[in-house]
Amino acid sequence: MAMARTQKNKATAHHLGLLKARLAKLRRELITPKGGGGGGPGEGFDVAKTGDARIGFVGFPSVGKSTLLSNLAGVYSEVAAYEFTTLTTVPGVIRYKGAKIQLLDLPGIIEGAKDGKGRGRQVIAVARTCNLILIVLDVLKPLGHKKIIENELEGFGIRLNSKPPNIGFKKKDKGGINLTATSILAEYKIHNADVTLRSDATADDLIDVVEGNRVYIPCIYVLNKIDQISIEELDIIYKVPHCVPISAHHRWNFDDLALVWGLSVKHNPQKVGKDHTLEDEDVIQIVKK
C-alpha cells in the first residue's frame, strides 16, 4: 500500500493526506452504496428499529455473543460450539430503568469486511445505526481481535468513544481556501471553502469532516470467558478503559454490564446547571433545594 511505503516526515505529510483522502472517497461507496440492482442489505439485516435505543453486539465468531444475548434478553439465538452459527441479525429487547432497549446479535465479523468481503459489510451497516456498540472479545485472545474489529469499524466511518473533530467547514462559491492542507480539499474538487480549526487537528479529522458521513458511537469492550483466567489476570483487565469482563455462560458480572453512560457529560453521574444541554437518551435527576 502506498501509505505504508511512504516515509513519515513533514515533506511527505501532504502526500499522505492526499492518499488518505483518495482512500476515504473509495470507501464512501461501501458506507453509502449507490442504488440499483443487487448489493442490498440482504436477508435478515432489515431489522426495524424499536424502543428507546439500539445496542449492537459485534465480535468474531464463537466469542459468546449469542449466549450473552440469550441470557440478557431471554431471546433464543441458535448457539453452538462452531463458527458462523448466527447468519442473520437476531433482535432482542430488554427494559432498563423504564427504557426499552433493542439488542442486536450481529453475525460474526470477519477481517476485510470494510473491503466488501463476506457479509461483514452488511453487519457493519447495521452497526452504524446503533446507539451503543458492545464489542465482545474472547478474554484469552482479546488484543488481536480488538484491533481488527476497530479497524473494520473505522473503515466504515464508525468512530468509537470519540466526538466529532472541532473543525468548522463550509463550502463557498468563491474566495479560495486559507489552509495548509489544501491538497486534501483539492482531491474533493473543493476550491472555495471556509475552514476553521478550533483545536489541533489531523488530516484524518479534516477528511472526516469533509466526508460528513461519520457516526460517533460509544463502545463497551466485553471480555467474555473470565471463568478461564486467574484472579490476577482479572485484576489487570479491570484497568482497561471501557472494558467489562464477564462470563456469558455462567452469567458472571452482568451487574457491571448494566452501566449506562450519558452522552452529554464527561463524568457519570455529573452535576450540571439548568442551562446544560442534554443529549438524546440522557437520564437526569432533579434535586429540590
Side-chain angles (χ1 to χ4, degrees):
M1 188 177 180
M3 285 193 294
R5 294 194 301 267
T6 304
Q7 288 185 330
K8 308 294 191 298
N9 55 56
K10 289 184 179 180
T12 60
H14 73 283
H15 179 62
L16 285 171
L18 184 62
L19 291 174
K20 288 178 178 179
R22 288 177 180 171
L23 183 60
K25 288 171 63 180
L26 291 172
R27 285 181 175 165
R28 189 190 307 153
E29 289 189 16
L30 291 174
I31 299 173
T32 53
K34 296 179 181 177
E43 181 183 354
F45 284 84
D46 187 17
V47 181
K49 196 169 186 178
T50 62
D52 302 297
R54 167 181 277 187
I55 299 178
F57 291 65
V58 182
F60 268 77
S62 300
V63 296
K65 296 188 306 300
S66 300
T67 302
L68 179 57
L69 177 67
S70 297
N71 286 338
L72 279 176
V75 173
Y76 179 73
S77 172
E78 184 184 353
V79 178
Y82 51 87
E83 294 187 349
F84 295 104
T85 306
T86 307
L87 297 178
T88 57
T89 53
V90 180
V93 174
I94 62 172
R95 293 186 180 275
Y96 181 81
K97 294 186 177 180
K100 189 177 179 182
I101 302 174
Q102 184 183 43
L103 308 179
L104 292 182
D105 178 13
L106 303 174
I109 193 173
I110 58 169
E111 190 172 4
K114 69 179 184 304
D115 301 317
K117 295 180 181 178
R119 302 189 73 178
R121 167 175 168 172
Q122 296 152 324
V123 174
I124 304 182
V126 175
R128 281 177 56 89
T129 70
C130 293
N131 303 96
L132 173 70
I133 290 177
L134 294 186
I135 294 182
V136 186
L137 302 166
D138 189 328
V139 74
L140 299 178
K141 46 186 175 183
L143 296 181
H145 284 183
K146 178 177 180 287
K147 186 175 182 180
I148 291 171
I149 291 172
E150 287 174 338
N151 188 41
E152 295 301 305
L153 296 175
E154 285 279 324
F156 262 77
I158 296 175
R159 303 293 178 257
L160 302 174
N161 293 327
S162 60
K163 294 183 178 181
N166 196 2
I167 298 175
F169 173 74
K170 182 181 180 181
K171 286 192 283 188
K172 304 185 299 184
D173 293 328
K174 58 183 179 180
I177 296 172
N178 294 318
L179 186 71
T180 55
T182 52
S183 59
I184 292 176
L185 297 176
E187 177 64 25
Y188 285 94
K189 296 182 172 58
I190 297 172
H191 304 290
N192 302 283
D194 286 328
V195 181
T196 307
L197 302 179
R198 302 188 183 99
S199 61
D200 290 339
T202 65
D204 293 300
D205 291 334
L206 179 59
I207 291 170
D208 281 355
V209 170
V210 174
E211 284 286 336
N213 57 7
R214 306 318 193 206
V215 291
Y216 298 82
I217 306 177
C219 173
I220 298 174
Y221 300 92
V222 181
L223 286 181
N224 189 25
K225 306 180 183 179
I226 60 173
D227 51 297
Q228 301 180 25
I229 64 172
S230 67
I231 296 296
E232 291 76 16
E233 290 171 313
L234 186 59
D235 288 339
I236 295 174
I237 289 172
Y238 259 112
K239 298 177 182 178
V240 179
H242 309 292
C243 174
V244 180
I246 67 158
S247 171
H249 179 70
H250 295 286
R251 301 192 183 196
W252 291 352
N253 208 32
F254 275 22
D255 287 344
D256 272 10
L257 192 60
L259 293 176
V260 175
W261 286 265
L263 300 182
S264 70
V265 293
K266 294 182 179 179
H267 310 288
N268 287 270
Q270 176 177 320
K271 290 184 179 180
V272 295
K274 62 182 180 180
D275 296 326
H276 177 72
T277 302
L278 292 170
E279 296 283 350
D280 189 29
E281 299 163 24
D282 277 0
V283 178
I284 65 169
Q285 178 183 20
I286 300 175
V287 181
K288 290 178 64 177
K289 291 185 177 180

